[in-house]
Amino acid sequence: MDFSLNSLTNWLSFGKSTYPERGSDYLSVYMKQLETDFKAYDPNFKIVKWLGSGGFCDVFLATDVHVPGKGVQNIGLRVLRPSLYRTPRPMVNNRIIKTFFSEIFYNTFLTSQNVRQVVKLLDYGCHLNKHYFTMMEYIEGPNFLEYILEAPKDERELVRRAVFINAVAGVVGELHFRGVIHRDLKPTNIIVKGLEPYLTDFGSARWIHVQDDVGDERLSVLGTPAHMSYEQLEGDYYNIDYRTDIFSMGAMASFAFTGVHPFHEREKINYREEGIAALSRVEPDIPKIPFKKGSKLRNFLLKTLSRNPNNRPGHMSEFQYNLNMWILQS
């Protein structure tokens, strides 16, 4: 591979910034202002640290927050980045806010269903008519990307990763059972607590059988370029269903099992100039897996990454079955 570890990390977690508003000098000022403003929510509100930033939100840890109806909680405070919706373009501003509240809708639904191992929503709103925010339960642990930046050292490590991927598939399968597809499955959206995965970030989620849940969504492409299915990249909105999540699971599993992302060649394409559909030219590249029945595992992964959704596993349970059979035989 001809790119550095840092560029690989940025590519796989595309949309994550180093600091809020893209400036390290602003971080302490930003945190201080947020803490001051949120004291109107809870007089003892205290932001302990910055946890990270995504394409839309900056995330902070706040401890011992009194959440109405939920008691005192450690929370992940997610604040919609002001520069995204305070622009001279009303249509852009509305689009960003609608997408933000769409994520809240799916989180609220999954929280109400008490779906295990989905990070739960505790509160949300527009604080002081100034900050669009959500408060999420705080799950302490690293994201999955930190565990898989290098290839498995031996077969035992490979099996451990396969078992974990199967656990992730179980969580995603529960979403599908509830009628929701995630559409942005990637290692940085999975928090590892002990041996269990916790799924987060539903900014790209939608109902499986609903054509258009955010008004003009089909005019845009939501997700992370490194992990998107062909139908997502090509804007084939009406052909996007649970098999898109199966594709992303296959891409994540391929990287976890080999240390090489199957679509690393996408990084070389300037899709901002050529259009995001240009990334669909890249075919999956999965190295040989040098362990027992590695070729069988590789063939299964290639099936999950098929250009034709009909050639992928039909359901997440089929994905799990095939992976379980490999684990039992290895």
Side-chain angles (χ1 to χ4, degrees):
M1 298 172 70
D2 59 357
F3 45 86
S4 69
L5 184 61
N6 284 338
S7 66
L8 172 64
T9 303
N10 291 336
W11 173 242
L12 295 178
S13 56
F14 177 84
K16 293 182 76 65
S17 61
T18 306
Y19 291 104
E21 297 296 343
R22 310 302 194 266
S24 59
D25 293 339
Y26 184 66
L27 177 59
S28 59
V29 177
Y30 187 44
M31 289 176 59
K32 184 75 172 177
Q33 184 61 56
L34 283 174
E35 183 176 278
T36 299
D37 289 346
F38 272 89
K39 286 188 180 297
Y41 184 97
D42 178 351
N44 298 316
F45 199 96
K46 181 174 179 59
I47 294 179
V48 176
K49 64 179 179 179
W50 169 69
L51 295 175
S53 295
F56 285 78
C57 294
D58 302 312
V59 189
F60 305 90
L61 171 62
T63 56
D64 300 326
V65 177
H66 183 268
V67 182
K70 305 291 193 308
V72 177
Q73 304 270 350
N74 291 341
I75 63 157
L77 175 69
R78 301 174 70 251
V79 184
L80 185 61
R81 188 171 299 115
S83 60
L84 295 178
Y85 65 90
R86 295 178 186 172
T87 78
R89 298 176 293 173
M91 290 295 291
V92 171
N93 299 344
N94 291 342
R95 176 82 184 111
I96 294 296
I97 293 171
K98 285 163 66 178
T99 301
F100 181 70
F101 275 99
S102 174
E103 176 180 8
I104 290 172
F105 170 79
Y106 287 105
N107 258 131
T108 300
F109 171 72
L110 294 170
T111 297
S112 71
Q113 296 287 298
N114 198 29
V115 179
R116 287 190 68 248
Q117 290 163 255
V118 167
V119 179
K120 302 300 190 298
L121 178 70
L122 300 175
D123 200 0
Y124 65 90
C126 183
H127 186 58
L128 301 180
N129 294 321
K130 185 177 181 181
H131 303 294
Y132 287 97
F133 75 94
T134 59
M135 292 183 181
M136 311 297 298
E137 67 173 333
Y138 176 62
I139 305 296
E140 187 170 4
N143 66 60
F144 188 42
L145 180 60
E146 297 179 34
Y147 285 91
I148 59 175
L149 281 173
E150 296 182 356
K153 296 181 176 61
D154 51 39
E155 188 173 1
R156 180 176 295 182
E157 174 69 15
L158 175 61
V159 171
R160 276 199 296 266
R161 294 187 185 189
V163 170
F164 187 83
I165 287 288
N166 232 4
V168 176
V171 179
V172 179
E174 180 71 13
L175 263 61
H176 293 176
F177 176 75
R178 308 284 175 177
V180 175
I181 50 178
H182 190 280
R183 289 199 304 172
D184 194 19
L185 295 171
K186 57 184 179 182
T188 51
N189 282 343
I190 298 166
I191 301 171
V192 182
K193 181 181 180 182
L195 299 176
E196 292 189 320
Y198 283 79
L199 188 59
T200 187
D201 194 345
F202 291 86
S204 300
R206 54 157 273 205
W207 296 113
I208 291 176
H209 299 297
V210 174
Q211 291 183 339
D212 189 359
D213 63 334
V214 194
D216 56 349
E217 182 184 340
R218 60 189 165 207
L219 300 178
S220 62
V221 178
L222 296 177
T224 302
H227 305 270
M228 280 186 187
S229 64
Y230 294 107
E231 58 268 26
Q232 280 178 288
L233 292 170
E234 293 169 355
D236 191 1
Y237 185 86
Y238 297 109
N239 199 32
I240 293 175
D241 57 22
Y242 49 84
R243 293 169 297 183
T244 286
D245 281 349
I246 289 173
F247 182 98
S248 297
M249 284 295 303
M252 181 164 53
S254 299
F255 180 54
F257 299 163
T258 67
V260 177
H261 196 279
F263 296 103
H264 59 86
E265 290 293 321
R266 287 180 179 178
E267 192 196 30
K268 298 178 181 178
I269 297 175
N270 188 343
Y271 67 88
R272 298 185 186 279
E273 291 185 0
E274 297 186 53
I276 200 164
L279 299 176
S280 67
R281 298 196 301 258
V282 177
E283 296 293 334
D285 176 21
I286 302 178
K288 180 180 178 180
I289 301 176
F291 300 111
K292 183 179 179 181
K293 296 189 180 295
S295 60
K296 181 177 180 179
L297 181 58
R298 182 177 180 275
N299 289 337
F300 165 65
L301 294 173
L302 286 170
K303 183 179 179 181
T304 68
L305 301 176
S306 173
R307 187 176 290 271
N308 184 347
N310 293 324
N311 294 333
R312 300 172 200 159
H315 297 276
M316 199 59 77
S317 58
E318 184 180 343
F319 178 97
Q320 288 181 289
Y321 173 81
N322 281 274
L323 197 50
N324 272 329
M325 290 303 295
W326 178 84
I327 292 170
L328 291 172
Q329 295 170 8
S330 63

PDB file of all heavy atoms in Angstrom, residues 29 41 98 103 109 123 130-131 133 144 176 208 248 268:
ATOM      1  N   VAL A  29     -11.574  27.239  23.674  1.00  0.00           N
ATOM      2  CA  VAL A  29     -12.568  28.313  23.685  1.00  0.00           C
ATOM      3  C   VAL A  29     -13.957  27.747  23.419  1.00  0.00           C
ATOM      4  O   VAL A  29     -14.940  28.114  24.079  1.00  0.00           O
ATOM      5  CB  VAL A  29     -12.213  29.379  22.620  1.00  0.00           C
ATOM      6  CG1 VAL A  29     -13.286  30.461  22.563  1.00  0.00           C
ATOM      7  CG2 VAL A  29     -10.847  29.984  22.913  1.00  0.00           C
ATOM      8  N   TYR A  41     -28.849  24.306  31.304  1.00  0.00           N
ATOM      9  CA  TYR A  41     -29.481  22.983  31.284  1.00  0.00           C
ATOM     10  C   TYR A  41     -29.336  22.313  32.645  1.00  0.00           C
ATOM     11  O   TYR A  41     -30.275  21.731  33.179  1.00  0.00           O
ATOM     12  CB  TYR A  41     -28.831  22.143  30.186  1.00  0.00           C
ATOM     13  CG  TYR A  41     -29.434  20.766  29.979  1.00  0.00           C
ATOM     14  CD1 TYR A  41     -30.378  20.543  28.988  1.00  0.00           C
ATOM     15  CD2 TYR A  41     -29.044  19.691  30.788  1.00  0.00           C
ATOM     16  CE1 TYR A  41     -30.919  19.281  28.797  1.00  0.00           C
ATOM     17  CE2 TYR A  41     -29.583  18.435  30.611  1.00  0.00           C
ATOM     18  CZ  TYR A  41     -30.521  18.236  29.615  1.00  0.00           C
ATOM     19  OH  TYR A  41     -31.066  16.977  29.435  1.00  0.00           O
ATOM     20  N   LYS A  98     -32.357  19.102   8.874  1.00  0.00           N
ATOM     21  CA  LYS A  98     -33.272  17.980   8.638  1.00  0.00           C
ATOM     22  C   LYS A  98     -32.551  16.644   8.791  1.00  0.00           C
ATOM     23  O   LYS A  98     -33.088  15.693   9.358  1.00  0.00           O
ATOM     24  CB  LYS A  98     -33.885  18.100   7.247  1.00  0.00           C
ATOM     25  CG  LYS A  98     -34.960  19.184   7.143  1.00  0.00           C
ATOM     26  CD  LYS A  98     -35.245  19.561   5.712  1.00  0.00           C
ATOM     27  CE  LYS A  98     -35.861  18.409   4.941  1.00  0.00           C
ATOM     28  NZ  LYS A  98     -36.177  18.811   3.544  1.00  0.00           N
ATOM     29  N   GLU A 103     -31.530  11.727  12.141  1.00  0.00           N
ATOM     30  CA  GLU A 103     -30.743  10.834  12.995  1.00  0.00           C
ATOM     31  C   GLU A 103     -31.384  10.706  14.373  1.00  0.00           C
ATOM     32  O   GLU A 103     -31.459   9.607  14.936  1.00  0.00           O
ATOM     33  CB  GLU A 103     -29.316  11.362  13.130  1.00  0.00           C
ATOM     34  CG  GLU A 103     -28.458  10.531  14.075  1.00  0.00           C
ATOM     35  CD  GLU A 103     -27.034  11.061  14.211  1.00  0.00           C
ATOM     36  OE1 GLU A 103     -26.749  12.148  13.701  1.00  0.00           O
ATOM     37  OE2 GLU A 103     -26.222  10.345  14.827  1.00  0.00           O
ATOM     38  N   PHE A 109     -36.326   5.981  18.035  1.00  0.00           N
ATOM     39  CA  PHE A 109     -37.037   4.732  17.773  1.00  0.00           C
ATOM     40  C   PHE A 109     -36.291   3.532  18.344  1.00  0.00           C
ATOM     41  O   PHE A 109     -36.859   2.700  19.057  1.00  0.00           O
ATOM     42  CB  PHE A 109     -37.241   4.554  16.267  1.00  0.00           C
ATOM     43  CG  PHE A 109     -37.768   3.191  15.886  1.00  0.00           C
ATOM     44  CD1 PHE A 109     -39.082   2.840  16.174  1.00  0.00           C
ATOM     45  CD2 PHE A 109     -36.952   2.261  15.269  1.00  0.00           C
ATOM     46  CE1 PHE A 109     -39.572   1.579  15.835  1.00  0.00           C
ATOM     47  CE2 PHE A 109     -37.423   1.002  14.925  1.00  0.00           C
ATOM     48  CZ  PHE A 109     -38.750   0.660  15.211  1.00  0.00           C
ATOM     49  N   ASP A 123     -31.442  12.630  25.459  1.00  0.00           N
ATOM     50  CA  ASP A 123     -32.152  13.901  25.310  1.00  0.00           C
ATOM     51  C   ASP A 123     -31.663  14.574  24.032  1.00  0.00           C
ATOM     52  O   ASP A 123     -30.599  14.233  23.490  1.00  0.00           O
ATOM     53  CB  ASP A 123     -31.897  14.803  26.526  1.00  0.00           C
ATOM     54  CG  ASP A 123     -32.954  15.900  26.681  1.00  0.00           C
ATOM     55  OD1 ASP A 123     -33.885  15.946  25.846  1.00  0.00           O
ATOM     56  OD2 ASP A 123     -32.836  16.693  27.625  1.00  0.00           O
ATOM     57  N   LYS A 130     -29.636  28.083  20.230  1.00  0.00           N
ATOM     58  CA  LYS A 130     -28.258  28.347  19.818  1.00  0.00           C
ATOM     59  C   LYS A 130     -27.515  27.073  19.426  1.00  0.00           C
ATOM     60  O   LYS A 130     -26.744  27.079  18.464  1.00  0.00           O
ATOM     61  CB  LYS A 130     -27.532  29.045  20.981  1.00  0.00           C
ATOM     62  CG  LYS A 130     -26.128  29.507  20.707  1.00  0.00           C
ATOM     63  CD  LYS A 130     -25.587  30.249  21.927  1.00  0.00           C
ATOM     64  CE  LYS A 130     -24.184  30.754  21.709  1.00  0.00           C
ATOM     65  NZ  LYS A 130     -23.658  31.461  22.905  1.00  0.00           N
ATOM     66  N   HIS A 131     -27.720  25.987  20.176  1.00  0.00           N
ATOM     67  CA  HIS A 131     -26.975  24.750  19.945  1.00  0.00           C
ATOM     68  C   HIS A 131     -27.931  23.592  19.681  1.00  0.00           C
ATOM     69  O   HIS A 131     -28.690  23.195  20.574  1.00  0.00           O
ATOM     70  CB  HIS A 131     -26.121  24.395  21.169  1.00  0.00           C
ATOM     71  CG  HIS A 131     -25.150  25.448  21.582  1.00  0.00           C
ATOM     72  ND1 HIS A 131     -24.081  25.822  20.801  1.00  0.00           N
ATOM     73  CD2 HIS A 131     -25.087  26.210  22.714  1.00  0.00           C
ATOM     74  CE1 HIS A 131     -23.393  26.769  21.429  1.00  0.00           C
ATOM     75  NE2 HIS A 131     -23.983  27.019  22.579  1.00  0.00           N
ATOM     76  N   PHE A 133     -28.372  19.838  19.656  1.00  0.00           N
ATOM     77  CA  PHE A 133     -27.580  18.857  20.392  1.00  0.00           C
ATOM     78  C   PHE A 133     -28.343  17.553  20.590  1.00  0.00           C
ATOM     79  O   PHE A 133     -29.573  17.499  20.511  1.00  0.00           O
ATOM     80  CB  PHE A 133     -27.204  19.412  21.771  1.00  0.00           C
ATOM     81  CG  PHE A 133     -28.363  19.415  22.751  1.00  0.00           C
ATOM     82  CD1 PHE A 133     -28.541  18.345  23.634  1.00  0.00           C
ATOM     83  CD2 PHE A 133     -29.285  20.456  22.783  1.00  0.00           C
ATOM     84  CE1 PHE A 133     -29.612  18.328  24.523  1.00  0.00           C
ATOM     85  CE2 PHE A 133     -30.348  20.442  23.674  1.00  0.00           C
ATOM     86  CZ  PHE A 133     -30.509  19.376  24.547  1.00  0.00           C
ATOM     87  N   PHE A 144     -13.538   0.377  17.008  1.00  0.00           N
ATOM     88  CA  PHE A 144     -13.012  -0.880  16.456  1.00  0.00           C
ATOM     89  C   PHE A 144     -11.801  -0.666  15.559  1.00  0.00           C
ATOM     90  O   PHE A 144     -10.948  -1.552  15.429  1.00  0.00           O
ATOM     91  CB  PHE A 144     -14.133  -1.588  15.693  1.00  0.00           C
ATOM     92  CG  PHE A 144     -13.799  -2.986  15.228  1.00  0.00           C
ATOM     93  CD1 PHE A 144     -13.119  -3.879  16.048  1.00  0.00           C
ATOM     94  CD2 PHE A 144     -14.185  -3.414  13.967  1.00  0.00           C
ATOM     95  CE1 PHE A 144     -12.815  -5.161  15.629  1.00  0.00           C
ATOM     96  CE2 PHE A 144     -13.896  -4.699  13.535  1.00  0.00           C
ATOM     97  CZ  PHE A 144     -13.206  -5.574  14.366  1.00  0.00           C
ATOM     98  N   HIS A 176     -32.224  -4.433  11.216  1.00  0.00           N
ATOM     99  CA  HIS A 176     -32.993  -4.846  10.037  1.00  0.00           C
ATOM    100  C   HIS A 176     -34.335  -5.446  10.449  1.00  0.00           C
ATOM    101  O   HIS A 176     -35.355  -5.217   9.788  1.00  0.00           O
ATOM    102  CB  HIS A 176     -32.181  -5.862   9.226  1.00  0.00           C
ATOM    103  CG  HIS A 176     -30.956  -5.280   8.607  1.00  0.00           C
ATOM    104  ND1 HIS A 176     -30.032  -6.040   7.908  1.00  0.00           N
ATOM    105  CD2 HIS A 176     -30.476  -3.995   8.570  1.00  0.00           C
ATOM    106  CE1 HIS A 176     -29.055  -5.259   7.483  1.00  0.00           C
ATOM    107  NE2 HIS A 176     -29.300  -4.022   7.866  1.00  0.00           N
ATOM    108  N   ILE A 208     -36.186   0.637   5.650  1.00  0.00           N
ATOM    109  CA  ILE A 208     -35.903  -0.227   4.503  1.00  0.00           C
ATOM    110  C   ILE A 208     -36.906   0.015   3.378  1.00  0.00           C
ATOM    111  O   ILE A 208     -36.536   0.071   2.208  1.00  0.00           O
ATOM    112  CB  ILE A 208     -35.924  -1.713   4.931  1.00  0.00           C
ATOM    113  CG1 ILE A 208     -34.719  -2.014   5.831  1.00  0.00           C
ATOM    114  CG2 ILE A 208     -35.903  -2.631   3.712  1.00  0.00           C
ATOM    115  CD1 ILE A 208     -34.705  -3.420   6.393  1.00  0.00           C
ATOM    116  N   SER A 248     -21.217  -3.282   3.413  1.00  0.00           N
ATOM    117  CA  SER A 248     -20.323  -2.560   4.321  1.00  0.00           C
ATOM    118  C   SER A 248     -19.746  -3.477   5.388  1.00  0.00           C
ATOM    119  O   SER A 248     -18.590  -3.313   5.802  1.00  0.00           O
ATOM    120  CB  SER A 248     -21.077  -1.394   4.976  1.00  0.00           C
ATOM    121  OG  SER A 248     -21.496  -0.459   4.001  1.00  0.00           O
ATOM    122  N   LYS A 268      -7.268   6.959  -4.321  1.00  0.00           N
ATOM    123  CA  LYS A 268      -6.510   7.614  -5.374  1.00  0.00           C
ATOM    124  C   LYS A 268      -7.389   8.418  -6.322  1.00  0.00           C
ATOM    125  O   LYS A 268      -6.883   9.169  -7.160  1.00  0.00           O
ATOM    126  CB  LYS A 268      -5.730   6.560  -6.175  1.00  0.00           C
ATOM    127  CG  LYS A 268      -4.715   5.790  -5.344  1.00  0.00           C
ATOM    128  CD  LYS A 268      -4.030   4.731  -6.182  1.00  0.00           C
ATOM    129  CE  LYS A 268      -3.020   3.935  -5.352  1.00  0.00           C
ATOM    130  NZ  LYS A 268      -2.366   2.863  -6.150  1.00  0.00           N
TER     131      LYS A 268
END
